[in-house]
Amino acid sequence: KIALTTGETAKYCNVNFRTVIRWIEKGYLKAYKLAGRGDNRIPVESVVEFLQTNKMPIPENFIDKNKRILIVEDIPEKARSISRTLSSAGYETQIASNGFVAGDLLNSFKPALMTLDIKMPGSVR
């Protein structure tokens, strides 16, 4: 879905739909009105941005999993540098400092892509 009704947004935020209307009126939540009826529609991106800003949980179906990258690197400076570069390009990153952590994050973080330091201690060459 590209946009949500005030009722749908209210369900995701666990509030009354009137609260969502107040958020829109106060400018906290970006929305537009449908021609004719004047009903509000809230773009999904605006809902996600609002939830992030207010440290509220983001529904799993709103998260773009294609932008998740797992960085497997044992040198913290390199890992942070890679993470900063990818984050500034709009990607969500997680860092694993060893293979065990990487295996756990593959299951829980579910990245679309993984960078791997092939010269990590303990790796088979």
Side-chain angles (χ1 to χ4, degrees):
K1 239 180 177 187
I2 297 171
L4 304 173
T5 65
T6 52
E8 291 168 331
T9 303
K11 285 180 186 176
Y12 283 117
C13 297
N14 200 24
V15 297
N16 188 287
F17 78 95
R18 287 183 183 90
T19 302
V20 174
I21 293 170
R22 279 188 223 108
W23 289 342
I24 293 167
E25 290 170 350
K26 291 184 179 194
Y28 302 146
L29 191 57
K30 296 174 188 160
Y32 59 90
K33 291 198 179 280
L34 293 177
R37 295 180 50 184
D39 293 338
N40 289 305
R41 290 295 181 266
I42 304 107
V44 172
E45 299 84 29
S46 295
V47 175
V48 170
E49 182 181 320
F50 177 82
L51 294 172
Q52 287 173 331
T53 300
N54 293 287
K55 301 197 180 346
M56 297 168 72
I58 299 170
E60 193 68 29
N61 56 330
F62 286 176
I63 298 172
D64 186 358
K65 293 180 177 103
N66 290 330
K67 292 209 167 237
R68 289 183 174 177
I69 300 177
L70 176 61
I71 301 162
V72 184
E73 173 61 63
D74 61 323
I75 301 172
E77 297 81 21
K78 283 185 180 180
R80 285 192 302 269
S81 176
I82 295 167
S83 179
R84 269 193 313 274
T85 302
L86 293 171
S87 294
S88 68
Y91 294 95
E92 181 183 354
T93 64
Q94 287 283 326
I95 297 171
S97 59
N98 61 52
F100 292 108
V101 174
D104 184 48
L105 285 172
L106 281 172
N107 187 39
S108 62
F109 183 56
K110 300 186 184 341
L113 181 72
M114 177 174 71
T115 67
L116 180 60
D117 176 1
I118 59 172
K119 293 189 178 186
M120 284 179 63
S123 62
V124 179
R125 292 176 212 173

